[in-house]
Amino acid sequence: MLDDFFTRALIAGIGAALVAGPLGCFIVWRRMAYFGDTLSHAALLGVALSLLLQINTTLAVGGVSVLIAVLLMLLRRSNTLSSDALLGLLSHSALALGLVCLAFMTWVRIDLQGLLFGDILSVTVVDIIMVYAGGAGVLAVLAIIWRPLFAATVSSDLAAAEGLSPNRAEVIFMVLNAVVIAIALKIVGALLITALLIIPAAAARRVAASPEHMAVMAALIGAVAVVGGLYSSYYYDTPSGPSIVVAAMGIFILSLLPGLSALKWAGSRIKGGRS
């Protein structure tokens, strides 16, 4: 019989993985891993503001992440610095500012390790509701903008030629990233959120026969990593967040096996034959 806290952790972790997987596919396709890292580092600043202003942590983290995403877009349009330089500037500045703000709040007891690496075993029913409600909203919006966002990922000119709005889709995509980071912060922490977004998607890319198949596979791989990581953490007394990431990395290593590449080829051939 599993303890209640462990059951809640499983439910919350699976919910976060199911959302992070499809969104992570676009991060992999668009080569935006550093962007996800920037938003996850900015989450710490959101936590500091939530404690200072006494507001909901998830809302504060989401708000700061959206602000950083918008600021990044505005700076990119100014053409003063390259994208990677801007990401590095915003990422480390937000992380450092968050840590400094937390250090000044001596009247608040802060579990810094939990913020950085997650504390999934302490999730509450309210946290689970926020994960699934926010996750459902993210997936619904992602399904709506899937076509213009994917077209813009392949080619901005192609998206514009089809009468789509790649710029609007990109803004919405950045906001969705901010929401996912906000709801996943307590599960894997600020430093490991990007891993939950990228590693399952990277593993799914090795075996998926289509973009849609890759999104589904990434969600499932993330869920399996959560279950495997939590059980290994439970039995071997290891940190939960890092254990989930290690489990995801193990699945990625398995995806490198030559037999799985053959499976991907067979799946693409079957799909081609049906069409």
Side-chain angles (χ1 to χ4, degrees), residues 76-164:
R76 281 170 58 183
R77 290 179 181 177
S78 66
N79 292 322
T80 55
L81 288 173
S82 61
S83 294
D84 59 337
L86 288 173
L87 287 169
L89 186 153
L90 292 174
S91 173
H92 301 301
S93 298
L95 178 61
L97 186 58
L99 289 172
V100 169
C101 290
L102 291 174
F104 273 114
M105 288 185 283
T106 56
W107 63 90
V108 179
R109 292 190 61 185
I110 301 167
D111 179 14
L112 189 57
Q113 184 171 344
L115 291 175
L116 295 176
F117 301 105
D119 191 12
I120 190 173
L121 297 179
S122 68
V123 297
T124 63
V125 175
V126 175
D127 293 326
I128 293 174
I129 292 173
M130 294 192 71
V131 166
Y132 278 86
V138 167
L139 291 179
V141 174
L142 185 61
I144 294 173
I145 69 168
W146 179 276
R147 186 165 176 262
L149 186 60
F150 186 75
T153 300
V154 175
S155 169
S156 297
D157 295 334
L158 175 63
E162 292 185 0
L164 304 174

Side-chain angles (χ1 to χ4, degrees), residues 157-216:
D157 295 334
L158 175 63
E162 292 185 0
L164 304 174
S165 178
N167 290 332
R168 183 174 62 182
E170 184 174 0
V171 171
I172 297 174
F173 172 66
M174 290 185 173
V175 173
L176 294 182
N177 272 284
V179 173
V180 169
I181 287 172
I183 64 178
L185 177 66
K186 195 170 185 177
I187 296 172
V188 290
L191 297 184
L192 302 179
I193 290 175
T194 312
L196 190 63
L197 285 164
I198 295 173
I199 298 177
R205 190 174 191 176
R206 297 284 304 173
V207 298
S210 69
E212 293 79 9
H213 185 209
M214 178 175 163
V216 174

Side-chain angles (χ1 to χ4, degrees), residues 9-34:
L10 278 173
I11 295 172
I14 290 172
L18 293 177
V19 180
L23 202 64
C25 292
F26 280 100
I27 293 179
V28 171
W29 290 331
R30 299 169 73 92
R31 300 179 181 179
M32 294 178 64
Y34 205 4

Side-chain angles (χ1 to χ4, degrees), residues 13-75:
I14 290 172
L18 293 177
V19 180
L23 202 64
C25 292
F26 280 100
I27 293 179
V28 171
W29 290 331
R30 299 169 73 92
R31 300 179 181 179
M32 294 178 64
Y34 205 4
F35 169 74
D37 226 21
T38 300
L39 292 189
S40 64
H41 288 175
L44 206 62
L45 178 58
V47 171
L49 291 178
S50 73
L51 294 173
L52 183 63
L53 303 177
Q54 296 184 348
I55 57 178
N56 182 271
T57 302
T58 303
L59 294 178
V61 170
V64 170
S65 298
V66 170
L67 182 62
I68 292 293
V70 172
L71 184 59
L72 173 63
M73 292 191 66
L74 293 176
L75 290 174

